[in-house]
Amino acid sequence: MTAITINLNPIVRFTDDQFYQLCRENPEVKFERSAKGELLIMSPTGGETGKSNSEINADFVIWNRQNKLGVCFDSSTCFKLPNGANRSPDVAWIKKERWDSLTIEEKTKFPPIAPDFVLELMSPTDSLQETQKKMQEYIDNGVKLGWLINPKRRQVEIYRLGKPIEILTSPSELSGEDILPGFILNMAIVW
């Protein structure tokens, strides 16, 4: 997904409600917002990336329905991170207790919470450096586990809170570790 960055800060700084309204009034456009307040316009994914992302998300939903430990989100969900950024990971998951602690209004708009887990699946046009920065931003804001899947290189970067990044080449599966207990992602749906 190629992102276009627009800095409107010299003209206007959107409040959270204004940013939410901008997104609602333009549903055909996928927006994110950086911690600096810059608008990021995300292009749609291609067929192969969309197919893989759908398969990955299905595995998370099935696991979550069986275990009932939290709530799953797809790439159309935007989260308000503690640093002020609004981000939409391809897959996100939040522990049930943390999700239940939000008000109905917080759940309805862009939830002001960092997910416990995020996944970014790179499209052929994504910048590795920019996606790595986004992954680090998630961790810096309290995400406990993150997977950056790069199909082109057949690599997965695993981000863990308080630990160095681990890079795996052509793994056959990924474990949800203690964050997503019992979850295993079969990488055959990506490779």
Side-chain angles (χ1 to χ4, degrees), residues 34 48 51 73 77 94 101 107-109 117 128 151 162-163:
S34 75
E48 285 298 320
K51 177 179 79 66
F73 302 89
T77 307
I94 299 173
S101 72
K107 291 177 183 178
T108 303
K109 291 190 173 182
F117 170 83
L128 178 58
K163 296 184 179 176

Side-chain angles (χ1 to χ4, degrees), residues 1 30 32 53 57 73-81 86-93 113-115 117-121 134-135 138 143 147:
M1 215 182 318
K30 184 176 178 184
E32 288 187 352
N53 202 33
N57 209 352
F73 302 89
D74 69 8
S75 62
S76 61
T77 307
C78 189
F79 296 94
K80 168 99 172 155
L81 299 179
N86 291 95
R87 298 294 187 179
S88 300
D90 292 323
V91 177
W93 182 84
I113 191 170
F117 170 83
V118 297
L119 180 150
E120 290 287 350
L121 176 64
K134 191 175 181 180
M135 292 300 294
Y138 289 135
V143 170
W147 296 341

Side-chain angles (χ1 to χ4, degrees), residues 107-161:
K107 291 177 183 178
T108 303
K109 291 190 173 182
F110 298 150
I113 191 170
D116 292 288
F117 170 83
V118 297
L119 180 150
E120 290 287 350
L121 176 64
M122 289 191 63
S123 298
T125 57
D126 281 342
S127 158
L128 178 58
Q129 185 178 22
E130 288 302 313
T131 310
Q132 288 170 328
K133 285 181 187 175
K134 191 175 181 180
M135 292 300 294
Q136 191 60 54
E137 180 180 48
Y138 289 135
I139 297 299
D140 292 345
N141 279 272
V143 170
K144 294 171 182 67
L145 178 65
W147 296 341
L148 169 54
I149 300 175
N150 186 338
K152 186 176 180 179
R153 291 188 177 184
R154 294 181 63 96
Q155 286 186 334
V156 178
E157 294 183 14
I158 301 176
Y159 292 73
R160 297 176 183 96
L161 190 60

Side-chain angles (χ1 to χ4, degrees), residues 1-6 19-33 39-45 75-78 88 110:
M1 215 182 318
T2 303
I4 298 170
T5 303
I6 300 173
F19 178 69
Y20 180 79
Q21 190 62 34
L22 174 71
C23 294
R24 296 288 67 84
E25 294 294 325
N26 298 279
E28 67 285 352
V29 180
K30 184 176 178 184
F31 291 105
E32 288 187 352
R33 184 169 54 160
L39 287 180
L40 302 153
I41 302 171
M42 315 300 285
S43 66
T45 63
S75 62
S76 61
T77 307
C78 189
S88 300
F110 298 150

Side-chain angles (χ1 to χ4, degrees), residues 170-187:
S170 297
S172 59
E173 60 184 30
L174 297 175
S175 165
E177 303 173 8
D178 60 339
I179 306 303
L180 307 165
F183 180 79
I184 301 291
L185 180 64
N186 182 339
M187 294 301 290

Side-chain angles (χ1 to χ4, degrees), residues 4-24:
I4 298 170
T5 303
I6 300 173
N7 185 0
L8 296 174
N9 289 331
I11 302 162
V12 63
R13 286 190 70 87
F14 288 105
T15 66
D16 291 344
D17 285 337
Q18 289 170 327
F19 178 69
Y20 180 79
Q21 190 62 34
L22 174 71
C23 294
R24 296 288 67 84

